[in-house]
Amino acid sequence: MRKNLFLAMCACTLLFFGQGCKKYGYTIPDGYADDSGNVADGAIDTNMKWIDKTMYAKAKVFPGLVDPAEPRVQNEKFTLDLNFTDQTAGNLRITVAPEPQFSTGYYAAPGELIKIEVPVGIEGLRVQIGGHTDNLSGKSPLLRDPVIYNRQQLYGGVNYVRNLYGGTIYFLANKAFPVPVEFIISNACVSPDFILGKTTDAEFRAKVIASKVPWLELRSKRVIFLVPRDKVLNRLSSATVPFYPTLAISKWNEIFDLDYNAWMGLSDNAADEKDRSPQGAWRGALDIQITNGGAHSGFPFMAQNTYGWFDSFTSVKALDVTTSGGSWGSLHEFGHNCQQPSVWSWSTLGETSNNLFSFKYANRLAATNYGVLHSALPRLWPGALAWGATLLPKNFDGTDPAISSPFTRLVPFVQFFEIYGYEAMTYLYTQARHAERLNGSDIAKHNFVYEKWSDYKKIDFAPFFDAWGIALSRAVKDKVAAKYPEMTDKTWEYNPLSHTGGKTKITYPYIQTISNINSTEGSGNNLTDNKATTYWISQKTPAISASNAFPINLVLKAARFPIAIKGVTLTQQQGSANYAKDMEVLISNDDSEYSTVGTFTLPANTTKFNYNFSAVANARFVKLVIKNAVTMSTTNAFTSLSEFNIIKP
């Protein structure tokens, strides 16, 4: 008995020292050294032949089983380049940034034990099995278990990891390694991935047909998609929606290189780390069920496992911005990741500024028919353009249906890019990354865009922001006005659908707003054209009562900077059906705080009437308050004017 025990101890000692002479110097079955001194009450399972089938039924539903006949590699070496610049979302000041997640090219079958050998000295790595990382806890009904991926720390030596659902195998790094690292893996399946520049379309087709692995990756430097093998097989043989991997993934790589990274002012070799593009790839994945909607942003961007979303990843036709939306949905979700809400993308732009990347992509390909990008654009933009051109008081962030859609709020941005250059976005993003502080309020974010775009073109764009009802701080307006000349054209009248307009010159004085609770039917521009035959008229149809019709405020912007004003001149409309009557005149330098300079009754005739102030005043704005009309009907009240202008000394 004692002799047998002694021989066993000797054998264990020889085994220990024998293994100690291996390449890695020591072996720890699960990758963890136990120096606790506790007596082990059970052996760690390292039996590669045993399969835990407790979740087989659920894994069969999703993400799928692996045919037992599919080869499992044994002691296969592979090398990963783990060198990267860790660009965090905070560093780039975007919502989500790519993480240092590396594709290994291997797949773990459900419940099967995977052995990974890591060189000694390589620390700070984790292994992740499963690319479907949405946690569906609380969802009902569940189409799959809430969590089907797992992560485990890797240490120098032998590591074992198992996932009961199976999945794609990734390495996650918390630091960069300057030299590529070689690993050894056993009992995993080779994933039939497409790698741009390394895999031909013919090779990919052959690999997919031969494989029984349920999921694979489409990989490029900038973006990686995790997609199901069955849909790849379907589209590879489809005559109506063919899949050309090299062409499709090349286009996606270009989109992220040129229309995301470069447009945001990022490059691989930028001197300042803040301006370096993410070294890791963006990721998108399809799943049978996700936490929110048909798709949602994040890392990875998740979408429902439908042919619609699959084609948005893989179809060259879907990426054609001359005939289709250019994969609007996918660009939309990736755009969410790239928004800068902490600096300039204010609260009502949550579903707007993320869509701007679609226009950059279309512009790069000279695809000018924006109507094909999304059906909402030709339907909603005309109303938004009319709203932007109206003289009624406007609040860009308000609830007016003409502007409150995410699609309508795109208009001023596209107008600006079309006329002043898409590089305006590059400048804005770069300035946001380098801004000394974050902006906590919408008005501060308004100010930031206004000031930076004005700096970009060395032009004061205050009239553009005023026309769209994007409120600005008076101090910031004065700061910019002191540095740059004012814009000369009414850019807000430019139509991005027809690529026309926006060339009318801004001339002073002009009517800036016409304010009361009812709408206006006549053009306020007629009040300052020095023509008695043209006129403005308040709402006449449908009829409105006197209690709702008045007062009406006409705000005239006299000049960019305060000027001397002696009085105002007014002319009633020729042949008016209802002359304007009692008036009040106020002046201001900021269109916010006004002071009264006098009241009067306008004669009920078409003779030009001059009202002189008691003293010459310096002002930028003159407000005329029309209190009533000659005829005040309880059921129909309106009025009109032919001219309203200032009198200079």
Side-chain angles (χ1 to χ4, degrees):
M1 181 79 176
R2 290 183 178 178
K3 182 178 179 180
N4 291 339
L5 179 60
F6 174 75
L7 290 174
M9 292 175 63
C10 290
C12 289
T13 302
L14 289 172
L15 180 62
F16 176 80
F17 283 106
Q19 290 182 345
C21 295
K22 284 189 176 181
K23 180 179 178 180
Y24 305 125
Y26 62 90
T27 179
I28 301 167
D30 65 349
Y32 293 84
D34 183 7
D35 298 323
S36 66
N38 295 331
V39 177
D41 58 0
I44 296 171
D45 175 26
T46 59
N47 184 355
M48 304 290 289
K49 295 182 179 180
W50 182 73
I51 302 174
D52 187 339
K53 298 183 179 180
T54 55
M55 291 296 175
Y56 248 39
K58 293 183 177 181
K60 183 177 181 180
V61 174
F62 192 85
L65 300 179
V66 179
D67 194 308
E70 179 71 23
R72 273 67 165 169
V73 301
Q74 300 301 326
N75 298 315
E76 183 160 290
K77 295 180 179 180
F78 67 98
T79 301
L80 291 181
D81 182 357
L82 302 176
N83 195 19
F84 62 93
T85 299
D86 189 12
Q87 280 290 45
T88 65
N91 201 28
L92 297 175
R93 292 191 171 159
I94 58 179
T95 307
V96 176
E99 298 173 7
Q101 176 176 328
F102 300 89
S103 299
T104 65
Y106 295 97
Y107 193 93
E112 297 187 19
L113 197 63
I114 306 299
K115 183 172 74 172
I116 301 170
E117 298 180 53
V118 179
V120 172
I122 301 300
E123 307 291 344
L125 293 178
R126 289 178 294 163
V127 59
Q128 174 181 309
I129 297 182
H132 303 98
T133 54
D134 262 6
N135 186 335
L136 304 182
S137 297
K139 297 283 286 187
S140 180
L142 280 170
L143 303 183
R144 65 162 173 83
D145 274 358
V147 179
I148 59 173
Y149 76 101
N150 65 324
R151 291 172 178 167
Q152 179 178 305
Q153 197 73 28
L154 291 175
Y155 293 93
V158 179
N159 301 260
Y160 292 90
V161 61
R162 186 195 310 269
N163 184 300
L164 300 182
Y165 306 90
T168 307
I169 300 174
Y170 304 96
F171 283 1
L172 312 177
N174 62 16
K175 66 177 181 180
F177 296 88
V179 178
V181 181
E182 183 182 84
F183 303 91
I184 301 175
I185 191 167
S186 296
N187 213 37
C189 304
V190 175
S191 178
D193 296 349
F194 174 85
I195 305 175
L196 185 63
K198 294 184 179 180
T199 313
T200 67
D201 287 5
E203 290 169 343
F204 179 59
R205 175 186 291 272
K207 288 199 303 180
V208 173
I209 292 173
S211 177
K212 296 298 187 291
V213 173
W215 290 81
L216 58 90
E217 289 192 318
L218 310 171
R219 293 196 251 159
S220 69
K221 179 180 179 180
R222 300 300 186 193
V223 64
I224 297 174
F225 295 117
L226 178 63
V227 295
R229 173 180 169 271
D230 62 342
K231 285 186 170 58
V232 172
L233 279 172
N234 177 284
R235 290 309 195 221
L236 284 174
S237 60
S238 172
T240 56
V241 191
F243 175 27
Y244 305 105
T246 298
L247 186 55
I249 304 307
S250 293
K251 283 184 174 293
W252 271 112
N253 195 67
E254 288 178 356
I255 288 170
F256 276 92
D257 197 26
L258 303 176
D259 305 317
Y260 282 84
N261 290 347
W263 200 35
M264 293 188 290
L266 303 173
S267 61
D268 289 346
N269 301 311
D272 194 316
E273 186 174 300
K274 288 185 177 180
D275 298 325
R276 289 182 200 158
S277 53
Q279 301 304 293
W282 294 96
R283 292 180 179 271
L286 301 180
D287 197 331
I288 194 173
Q289 187 174 17
I290 61 177
T291 55
N292 184 34
H296 67 74
S297 58
F299 186 81
F301 143 54
M302 301 298 301
Q304 295 279 1
N305 185 21
T306 65
Y307 275 106
W309 284 107
F310 176 84
D311 290 339
S312 78
F313 290 171
T314 62
S315 170
V316 175
K317 182 178 180 181
L319 286 167
D320 185 357
V321 289
T322 63
T323 59
S324 69
S327 291
W328 176 281
S330 294
L331 294 175
H332 171 99
E333 299 300 345
F334 281 122
H336 272 308
N337 290 344
C338 294
Q339 288 174 297
Q340 290 184 316
S342 63
V343 183
W344 70 267
S345 185
W346 58 86
S347 62
T348 61
L349 298 180
E351 294 294 330
T352 296
S353 59
N354 58 316
N355 288 320
L356 295 173
F357 297 92
S358 289
F359 295 92
K360 169 60 175 66
Y361 172 41
N363 176 263
R364 175 169 63 86
L365 298 185
T368 57
N369 183 10
Y370 295 148
V372 304
L373 295 180
H374 197 288
S375 61
L377 305 184
R379 178 167 50 87
L380 297 177
W381 275 17
L385 288 165
W387 186 88
T390 184
L391 297 179
L392 289 174
K394 288 166 282 187
N395 177 5
F396 184 81
D397 300 323
T399 58
D400 191 318
I403 196 62
S404 59
S405 161
F407 298 102
T408 53
R409 290 193 172 109
L410 286 165
V411 174
F413 290 92
V414 178
Q415 284 179 329
F416 199 92
F417 298 150
E418 292 281 299
I419 292 180
Y420 298 107
Y422 277 77
E423 295 79 7
M425 191 72 147
T426 308
Y427 187 84
L428 183 62
Y429 263 82
T430 304
Q431 291 296 308
R433 284 194 303 277
H434 293 272
E436 294 182 359
R437 63 181 182 277
L438 304 181
N439 293 317
S441 67
D442 278 359
I443 188 69
K445 296 171 185 179
H446 294 177
N447 289 338
F448 187 87
V449 178
Y450 159 62
E451 186 171 5
K452 297 309 175 185
W453 276 355
S454 295
D455 289 341
Y456 161 67
K457 294 301 290 185
K458 302 296 187 290
I459 295 172
D460 181 6
F461 289 112
F464 182 80
F465 285 77
D466 289 341
W468 280 107
I470 303 172
L472 301 171
S473 298
R474 181 75 259 153
V476 176
K477 274 189 170 182
D478 290 343
K479 175 184 175 182
V480 172
K483 292 193 297 182
Y484 306 125
E486 192 174 64
M487 61 188 297
T488 58
D489 297 339
K490 295 182 178 180
T491 305
W492 57 90
E493 295 179 353
Y494 174 78
N495 186 337
L497 292 172
S498 63
H499 307 283
T500 59
K503 297 297 184 181
T504 303
K505 297 300 179 183
I506 299 173
T507 58
Y508 290 100
Y510 65 86
I511 301 298
Q512 178 162 288
T513 57
I514 301 176
S515 172
N516 68 331
I517 63 171
N518 64 289
S519 64
T520 180
E521 293 185 359
S523 173
N525 297 324
N526 292 337
L527 292 171
T528 57
D529 64 1
N530 294 315
K531 296 178 181 178
T533 55
T534 62
Y535 59 89
W536 157 84
I537 184 171
S538 66
Q539 179 175 322
K540 190 174 182 180
T541 54
I544 189 169
S545 68
S547 60
N548 290 327
F550 298 95
I552 300 171
N553 300 327
L554 306 179
V555 177
L556 182 145
K557 188 170 184 178
R560 186 185 180 202
F561 299 106
I563 62 170
I565 301 174
K566 178 182 177 181
V568 294
T569 180
L570 296 157
T571 304
Q572 300 269 25
Q573 179 200 350
Q574 295 182 10
S576 171
N578 196 13
Y579 290 128
K581 187 178 180 184
D582 295 320
M583 309 285 182
E584 181 179 6
V585 179
L586 304 92
I587 58 174
S588 172
N589 279 324
D590 60 7
D591 196 23
S592 177
E593 296 183 5
Y594 280 86
S595 58
T596 299
V597 292
T599 59
F600 60 92
T601 298
L602 187 62
N605 58 55
T606 58
T607 302
K608 178 186 290 188
F609 178 84
N610 292 337
Y611 175 75
N612 293 317
F613 302 161
S614 59
V616 173
N618 288 316
R620 297 173 63 227
F621 298 92
V622 177
K623 181 188 292 186
L624 179 70
V625 180
I626 305 175
K627 298 181 177 181
N628 50 38
V630 172
T631 302
M632 295 292 289
S633 169
T634 57
T635 57
N636 188 14
F638 64 94
T639 193
S640 60
L641 285 175
S642 177
E643 291 294 304
F644 165 42
N645 217 319
I646 60 171
I647 303 172
K648 296 180 180 179

